[in-house]
Amino acid sequence: MNGEPQMSKFMSLARKFNCFYFNGDLQHCRPFLVCGKQVGVMQARVVEAACRYPDVFHLDSSGMVSLHPSLNSYEERSARMNQVLSQWKEERLFVTLKGWRNECYEVRTGFADPPLLKMDRSAACLFGIRQYGVEINGYTRHPQLGMCLWLQRRALSKPTWPGKWDNMVAGGLSVGHSVLDTALKEAEEEASIPAHLLANLRSAGSVSFYFESERGLFPNTEFVYDLELPADFVPHNSDGEVDIFELVPINQVMERIFTPDYKTTSCPTTLDFLIRHGFINSDNEPRLPELVELLHIPLHYLYSQSSSSSQSPISPQ
Amino acid sequence: MNGEPQMSKFMSLARKFNCFYFNGDLQHCRPFLVCGKQVGVMQARVVEAACRYPDVFHLDSSGMVSLHPSLNSYEERSARMNQVLSQWKEERLFVTLKGWRNECYEVRTGFADPPLLKMDRSAACLFGIRQYGVEINGYTRHPQLGMCLWLQRRALSKPTWPGKWDNMVAGGLSVGHSVLDTALKEAEEEASIPAHLLANLRSAGSVSFYFESERGLFPNTEFVYDLELPADFVPHNSDGEVDIFELVPINQVMERIFTPDYKTTSCPTTLDFLIRHGFINSDNEPRLPELVELLHIPLHYLYSQSSSSSQSPISPQ
């Protein structure tokens, strides 16, 4: 018994994009509830700032923070939240608000539930709001190079992760569009994939992970699609969000994901592809099941508090 | 806010094979440690029986049960455990021991760690020992029927789940064989797949779930493989463990998994196949990410206790 077995590069990477799951200071975090259901997690620094607005935020005796129950419509909740966030922005209280997007994010209990309020996208990480996106693994069985992935380098003008390597197509879910519609729209805008090639787009599941940065908390879920492309197709960008695309053989992808040039929060989708297609397997990753579990951490459970909390799944304490 | 959104058939099934994760009476369960590391979970009825053997089991003040530290070799631990189990078997204390296998299971901390002791396979569920297996999804793109899965009906002579529908090939990992070797061996023994077809065998990840039955606890991990087969190939059984094989179109698979004729603990691998290949997607399962999370529950974390427990991943309490 020599303690922890040596950790592989894959496992170390999984701890990096799940850094809040492993190292998060949860004792000092509070569940954030709207309409009696958990929608987020607030770090101590955010709870402290929120307590200055007792007519907007209510800290109850069980340690949960609720949006004040007197705010009883979507419009009212959104307006009051926006007032608070605007003030925090002026006060330069949180670094993430420097990147104010003027683009709102709809806050819901579950992915398929109706929105409870909206807030600027840059503020979602202050409240640990779950975020959903789509990502497309574009791949080619190249006659000389073998299996390859198309990667994009993000434009230097992007507000987040500028200049980093990323999966071929990625985008956040937006209101009024289904998951598949979003994937199709992003594939067209980001990579100019024509409709006849998009007919091969295949849903392949999802990844869930819990990242943290200086900006805040990122409990992210990505709907994952695979798209096999002909060897002679070359994507090109239409919306200015991509610097370049590069066709990268799998063995080089398996090196690039470990470099600081790769967007950390895009690694789960890339790893999921490499596992589903057999490139990462029990021969090169002895702890494969643990790695797979870390690509699908139980966010549904971490966000299961309610004001009248009933039975939840087990936790090993 | 109308409480829980309506649950799909897929989600209900995921709760069925994860019934211990959702409904397990964990307050009355105890972590089971060997050599200072958690290897299992013991239900109250088993803890009670174990307490009759204070020279074999030690219940400490923090509520964890350890195999007595004075048992300091693999042989000694295995021999004492076997004495206890044999006595329980004679006393008819636990229904699972009626199915004594005369086949031992190696108990380890992690999948890739050295074995700490062995016990009869029928007793592993009394101690909630993690079990690992391989499962192969054998599929065919049939010219008339479209995508089909080969399912097996288990022989009526099988000690567990006799007569139930199951994935084409399934088997437990055995000592001295790698995961891939086990998959190849089982494919040959159970379905007589010739070597030239097995060249197409592809590792596709793993599933993790936590089932409970009257026999005990089943924290199971299956290494998942996909095998595309030509439309004219028909598997046949060589070892007497399979009643019949049937080629089942995907839309029929999507019905059969909900019937009591399908082995509950084989559903995760089948669902994982249906998700990875796009048959279950965000259009027919609005809670797809939660379903995917429930195919990969964090067993690595549920089994992370040690006698000097340090920091663990977060839990939402």
Side-chain angles (χ1 to χ4, degrees), chain A residues 32-40 109 116 305-307, chain B residues 1 3-4:
Chain A
F32 176 51
L33 282 71
V34 179
C35 299
K37 295 262 194 170
Q38 185 176 6
V39 298
T109 308
L116 302 172
Q305 299 289 304
S306 65
S307 50
Chain B
M1 300 303 304
E4 282 283 295

Side-chain angles (χ1 to χ4, degrees), chain B residues 44-293:
Chain B
R45 62 195 178 109
V46 185
V47 174
E48 196 182 323
C51 285
R52 288 160 44 202
Y53 304 86
D55 55 333
V56 182
F57 298 100
H58 173 69
L59 178 60
D60 74 18
S61 56
S62 65
M64 299 194 280
V65 179
S66 292
L67 205 59
H68 205 284
S70 68
L71 305 171
N72 53 23
S73 72
Y74 171 91
E75 288 73 22
E76 211 177 343
R77 288 187 288 265
S78 305
R80 294 294 280 130
M81 176 62 87
N82 190 54
Q83 281 175 359
V84 171
L85 293 176
S86 302
Q87 198 165 345
W88 287 353
K89 177 170 172 271
E90 268 176 42
E91 293 172 7
R92 301 182 183 199
L93 207 50
F94 298 109
V95 64
T96 186
L97 300 180
K98 280 205 282 189
W100 193 271
R101 300 277 194 97
N102 285 316
E103 180 194 340
C104 274
Y105 190 77
E106 302 278 1
V107 177
R108 303 154 195 268
T109 308
F111 168 68
D113 298 324
L116 302 172
L117 78 158
K118 63 179 178 181
M119 63 172 71
D120 192 79
R121 198 173 268 272
S122 64
C125 61
L126 291 179
F127 295 91
I129 306 294
R130 291 186 65 172
Q131 304 224 33
Y132 299 87
V134 296
E135 296 202 78
I136 302 177
N137 301 295
Y139 68 99
T140 292
R141 299 175 206 270
H142 193 277
Q144 282 81 47
L145 304 172
M147 183 78 132
C148 296
L149 272 174
W150 277 105
L151 300 181
Q152 60 156 288
R153 193 165 63 203
R154 297 163 65 87
L156 288 167
S157 55
K158 293 274 279 188
T160 58
W161 308 93
K164 300 287 184 187
W165 288 104
D166 199 345
N167 298 300
M168 182 179 73
V169 171
L173 287 189
S174 43
V175 185
H177 295 276
S178 75
V179 178
L180 178 59
D181 285 349
T182 305
L184 293 169
K185 182 174 74 79
E186 293 287 342
E188 202 195 322
E189 290 175 6
E190 274 196 2
S192 312
I193 318 249
H196 74 280
L197 294 182
L198 282 176
N200 293 326
L201 191 70
R202 187 166 71 181
S203 169
S206 58
V207 292
S208 302
F209 55 99
Y210 209 141
F211 179 67
E212 178 183 2
S213 78
E214 55 161 12
R215 292 195 290 129
L217 306 181
F218 299 86
N220 285 10
T221 296
E222 303 291 340
F223 290 85
V224 175
Y225 288 83
D226 282 359
L227 177 60
E228 182 163 5
L229 293 162
D232 60 356
F233 173 78
V234 176
H236 66 270
N237 180 244
S238 318
D239 62 5
E241 301 206 346
V242 176
D243 180 7
I244 56 164
F245 286 100
E246 183 183 335
L247 187 67
V248 186
I250 289 295
N251 59 345
Q252 288 179 36
V253 173
M254 299 253 262
E255 289 168 9
R256 196 172 297 182
I257 49 176
F258 300 114
T259 70
D261 299 331
Y262 209 92
K263 178 174 175 264
T264 307
T265 53
S266 294
C267 291
T269 292
T270 315
L271 287 176
D272 179 64
F273 179 89
L274 295 170
I275 291 168
R276 287 185 292 103
H277 290 263
F279 298 105
I280 302 175
N281 53 54
S282 55
D283 285 336
N284 57 12
E285 177 47 71
R287 293 164 74 177
L288 182 69
E290 187 174 342
L291 180 63
V292 175
E293 287 165 27

